[in-house]
Amino acid sequence: MFTAPRSDEIFTEQRLTPRTFQPDPAFREDVLNGLAQAVKAIPARWFYDMRGSQLFEAITQVPEYYPTRTETALLHAHAAAVAERLGADATVVEFGSGSSIKTRILLKALPRATYVPIDICGEFLDEACLALQGLFPALRIVPVEADFMNPVSLPLRREGRAMLGFFPGSTIGNLTPFAAVDLLRSMRETLGEQAHLLIGIDRVKDPARLVSAYDDAGGVTALFNLNLLQRINRELGGTIPVGEFRHVARWNEDASRIEMHLQARRAIRFEVAGQAFHMESGETIHTENCHKYRPGEIRLLLAASGWGEVEHWSDAGGDFSLVLAQGGGD
Ligand code: AVI
């Protein structure tokens, strides 16, 4: 039987050994397949190399990008209510590495929690856990290196403690609604019946505001999008002329989402991993979808995944939702 490690047992020498860089074969496959399609597209998860993660952090600070500060304020306002419902010794399972300020706000309200961050990148996990352990010395941290898109078996004895999944940031919006339902169901399986889920979801609003949140005047989101091409050049031996692409963010009304694209300014040819590609002037590579929901759609999305809404908090302008949901039996 596995016993959850004490916090001082977590960081073994082996886990802290720097990992040597290897280009990811899945990245190569996704890029080569994505560029070979009639409508070119590369999955958004490849944005997040070291520079992409830094640029995303910078996006969260630009004035036009309201989601992070709005959700942070909602957490400040409602973390105590979450703690009251769950109990101070709840187990908090974060879907993601837990490096954000939002994790700290939640954990401050749950001082006797066990904290289980799940992330596919062991390096991010190590860094986030070290930082959190410094801030919360009494916190029991059990990092799990895994892909949370599928159910994860948690190395924990539950011992009657309440389980709280945490999925902030409206990352759910980066999935199509069908994929979002799959993920929310899978989270239910990971957490177990009767568990709670605290999730941040961005709302539909004036398209002009949405577009400017994804195409800020300072050009930070443009750098974030274009970094994907630089990453391809760096890691996959690409010859893409990055300066010949422009960042495009557009609102797709029918699909209720912002789409990000990289658009060729002229006809171009380039190679990636020895394979040749051609793009027409004006042709785009679709790089990200950010779905936005109305309150009723949020309820439906959760219900379709086996979650019932317990609390639905929002800011005065109705820009962003922080929802506490609970799973029921099937
Ligand atoms: C990570 N995710 C929730 C962000 C979003 O708003 O969809 C990613 C992002 N892309 C451009 N700006 C922010």
Side-chain angles (χ1 to χ4, degrees):
M1 171 85 65
F2 179 89
T3 308
R6 292 193 321 269
S7 52
D8 58 339
E9 291 172 340
I10 291 166
F11 301 106
T12 62
E13 224 171 280
Q14 196 196 351
R15 283 186 61 78
L16 288 180
T17 304
R19 290 151 215 249
T20 44
F21 176 77
Q22 289 287 326
D24 189 328
F27 179 43
R28 183 179 186 277
E29 196 182 319
D30 277 356
V31 170
L32 293 178
N33 288 342
L35 293 176
Q37 289 169 27
V39 179
K40 294 179 171 42
I42 298 174
R45 68 188 180 111
W46 299 113
F47 278 140
Y48 301 94
D49 64 349
M50 190 60 84
R51 178 152 167 74
S53 301
Q54 287 165 350
L55 284 166
F56 178 65
E57 270 312 301
I59 286 173
T60 65
Q61 308 298 319
V62 304
E64 296 93 333
Y65 193 76
Y66 58 86
T68 308
R69 62 175 180 275
T70 310
E71 187 182 37
T72 302
L74 287 171
L75 277 163
H76 271 301
H78 303 294
V82 174
E84 199 171 318
R85 186 174 174 105
L86 272 288
D89 64 349
T91 297
V92 178
V93 178
E94 180 159 4
F95 298 95
S97 72
S99 58
S100 78
I101 186 85
K102 293 174 249 180
T103 308
R104 297 173 191 187
I105 298 167
L106 182 63
L107 292 177
K108 210 168 157 198
L110 291 158
R112 286 185 286 120
T114 298
Y115 175 63
V116 186
I118 308 176
D119 201 287
I120 201 160
C121 176
E123 221 169 330
F124 287 158
L125 265 180
D126 288 344
E127 275 175 28
C129 292
L130 272 171
L132 276 177
Q133 197 72 86
L135 283 170
F136 301 97
L139 187 70
R140 170 182 280 218
I141 305 181
V142 185
V144 176
E145 192 173 335
D147 177 6
F148 64 69
M149 299 304 287
N150 300 305
V152 178
S153 155
L154 300 179
L156 287 174
R157 291 212 211 101
R158 300 188 184 218
E159 289 162 346
R161 288 196 198 95
M163 292 288 280
L164 174 66
F166 186 42
F167 195 44
S170 198
T171 305
I172 196 78
N174 296 130
L175 303 176
T176 64
F178 285 118
V181 166
D182 281 348
L183 176 59
L184 290 165
R185 282 195 183 144
S186 154
M187 286 176 171
R188 235 186 108 215
E189 220 171 295
T190 298
L191 297 167
E193 275 182 17
Q194 305 305 326
H196 286 75
L197 176 68
L198 185 62
I199 183 168
I201 304 184
D202 196 16
R203 301 248 291 249
V204 174
K205 56 186 63 63
D206 172 16
R209 270 191 74 207
L210 284 167
V211 169
S212 74
Y214 290 86
D215 192 7
D216 55 286
V220 181
T221 311
L223 289 178
F224 172 73
N225 201 5
L226 289 161
N227 178 60
L228 181 60
L229 300 179
Q230 276 147 356
R231 180 177 186 186
I232 293 170
N233 285 350
R234 272 194 307 269
E235 296 185 20
L236 303 176
T239 60
I240 302 173
V242 179
E244 299 299 335
F245 282 82
R246 74 163 65 87
H247 161 69
V248 174
R250 57 171 86 119
W251 173 244
N252 179 331
E253 178 73 34
D254 292 340
S256 197
R257 69 188 187 203
I258 285 284
E259 293 179 2
M260 295 209 321
H261 295 256
L262 290 160
Q263 184 174 46
R265 295 175 193 269
R266 59 170 177 85
I268 39 183
R269 294 182 184 281
F270 56 86
E271 286 191 8
V272 175
Q275 292 192 30
F277 296 96
H278 169 253
M279 288 180 72
E280 302 294 343
S281 175
E283 189 181 348
T284 74
I285 306 171
H286 187 169
T287 50
E288 190 176 47
N289 290 319
C290 313
H291 293 82
K292 309 298 169 185
Y293 291 92
R294 296 178 178 83
E297 294 165 344
I298 293 175
R299 253 191 315 280
L300 281 176
L301 184 75
L302 289 167
S305 325
W307 293 99
E309 235 181 55
V310 173
E311 297 281 0
H312 190 137
W313 295 294
S314 185
D315 53 297
D319 281 347
F320 198 92
S321 290
L322 179 68
V323 177
L324 182 66
Q326 186 170 22
D330 279 316

